[in-house]
Amino acid sequence: MENHSKQTEAPHPGTYMPAGYPPPYPPAAFQGPSDHAAYPIPQAGYQGPPGPYPGPQPGYPVPPGGYAGGGPSGFPVQNQPAYNHPGGPGGTPWMPAPPPPLNCPPGLEYLAQIDQLLVHQQIELLEVLTGFETNNKYEIKNSLGQRVYFAVEDTDCCTRNCCGASRPFTLRILDNLGREVMTLERPLRCSSCCFPCCLQEIEIQAPPGVPIGYVTQTWHPCLPKLTLQNNKRENVLKVVGPCVACTCCSDIDFEIKSLDEVTRIGKITKQWSGCVKEAFTDSDNFGIQFPLDLEVKMKAVMLGACFLIDYMFFEGCE
């Protein structure tokens, strides 16, 4: 009986291992270095481990109100979600910002690496149900479906509903952070081709307040024609549309050509959206094609020409 109790008695305090079984760790692993026989006694004046975080010290900048705190390891969160404009759908991914090229206005670096833009006007439910004209909103995407910009019209209620498609407007183009990178200004002009002295035009600014180009209407008795100009109002390219701009069940191309109208540079296409959408709304879809190596500012001017074409020929078609 005594022998059995001796065999089952734990040889080391706090363990339950039979006698003769070697411990899992050598004794030296618990003793530390040879010159330290035990845990050192705290020195005089030792304050103990630090307590809770006392708050920002004097002179330390206070985080902004929207700061969400650190990440899992206490470091600031670096990858914040992209800005989603209240008027745009939040599920559309934004195009990542490429490095800006030389002499590129801030925000236009997105245009440096693409040769196509898709412009989708959003459907306004209030406008569909009541016919009450609201501010237009557009999503501007690349060929991969990533959102590049978001455009919002800024006009008052009286101007929209009294002047209709001929109304003057300010169109603000925002990037993924909600910054206004481009501003399009359209003055009030006569919409009839019988008055060649008061034709349509739009000014493109990037950044806002700095003109980088203009789109002006060229008088022609049959064809819709526009001229793309640089910031010095020098003619650079031409836009020539079809004789009948309102055809059904097919796309409508406005070709971008050289000044002599011989060489085709690109095109602006009004895309057919389907019978229901075309009949009951003035929400339009456009595609813009241009050379990849075209100057960034001229790509922005082509985008302005797309919006001017929409208001001139398709805004009132419903």
Side-chain angles (χ1 to χ4, degrees), residues 210-289:
V210 181
I212 62 170
Y214 303 85
V215 181
T216 61
Q217 182 184 6
T218 303
W219 187 87
H220 193 277
C222 300
L223 297 177
K225 286 191 175 184
L226 302 172
T227 302
L228 308 185
Q229 301 175 330
N230 59 17
N231 60 330
K232 299 179 180 179
R233 286 193 173 272
E234 298 171 341
N235 297 341
V236 179
L237 296 170
K238 294 277 189 178
V239 178
V240 182
C243 182
V244 179
C246 290
T247 58
C248 296
C249 303
S250 63
D251 295 345
I252 305 170
D253 291 337
F254 292 78
E255 295 187 346
I256 302 172
K257 298 183 176 183
S258 57
L259 290 179
D260 56 8
E261 300 185 14
V262 174
T263 306
R264 184 175 178 271
I265 306 299
K267 65 178 180 178
I268 300 173
T269 302
K270 164 64 173 65
Q271 299 171 345
W272 175 253
S273 304
C275 296
V276 175
K277 188 174 180 181
E278 295 283 347
F280 295 100
T281 73
D282 58 2
S283 179
D284 302 313
N285 295 331
F286 288 86
I288 310 173
Q289 296 180 11

Side-chain angles (χ1 to χ4, degrees), residues 23-174:
Y25 303 101
F30 297 92
Q31 295 176 1
S34 58
D35 56 343
H36 291 81
Y39 184 77
I41 302 175
Q43 303 297 321
Y46 178 70
Q47 302 297 329
Y53 178 63
Q57 303 299 318
Y60 186 83
V62 180
Y67 180 71
S73 303
F75 297 97
V77 179
Q78 299 295 330
N79 296 323
Q80 299 292 339
Y83 175 89
N84 285 313
H85 191 273
T92 305
W94 284 91
M95 175 182 172
L102 191 64
N103 299 325
C104 176
L108 298 193
E109 61 270 11
Y110 295 91
L111 302 177
Q113 298 184 353
I114 58 178
D115 59 358
Q116 184 178 5
L117 284 173
L118 305 175
V119 181
H120 295 163
Q121 183 178 353
Q122 294 189 347
I123 299 176
E124 299 294 332
L125 185 59
L126 177 63
E127 187 173 330
V128 174
L129 296 178
T130 64
F132 188 82
E133 187 68 35
T134 59
N135 279 323
N136 289 348
K137 299 181 181 67
Y138 302 86
E139 272 191 299
I140 304 169
K141 302 178 182 180
N142 60 14
S143 58
L144 300 177
Q146 297 172 321
R147 193 189 306 170
V148 183
Y149 300 114
F150 191 83
V152 184
E153 180 187 354
D154 184 10
T155 55
D156 60 85
C157 175
C158 181
T159 301
R160 289 195 308 270
N161 290 276
C162 292
C163 299
S166 301
R167 62 185 180 267
F169 63 78
T170 299
L171 198 67
R172 307 187 187 280
I173 300 181
L174 315 175

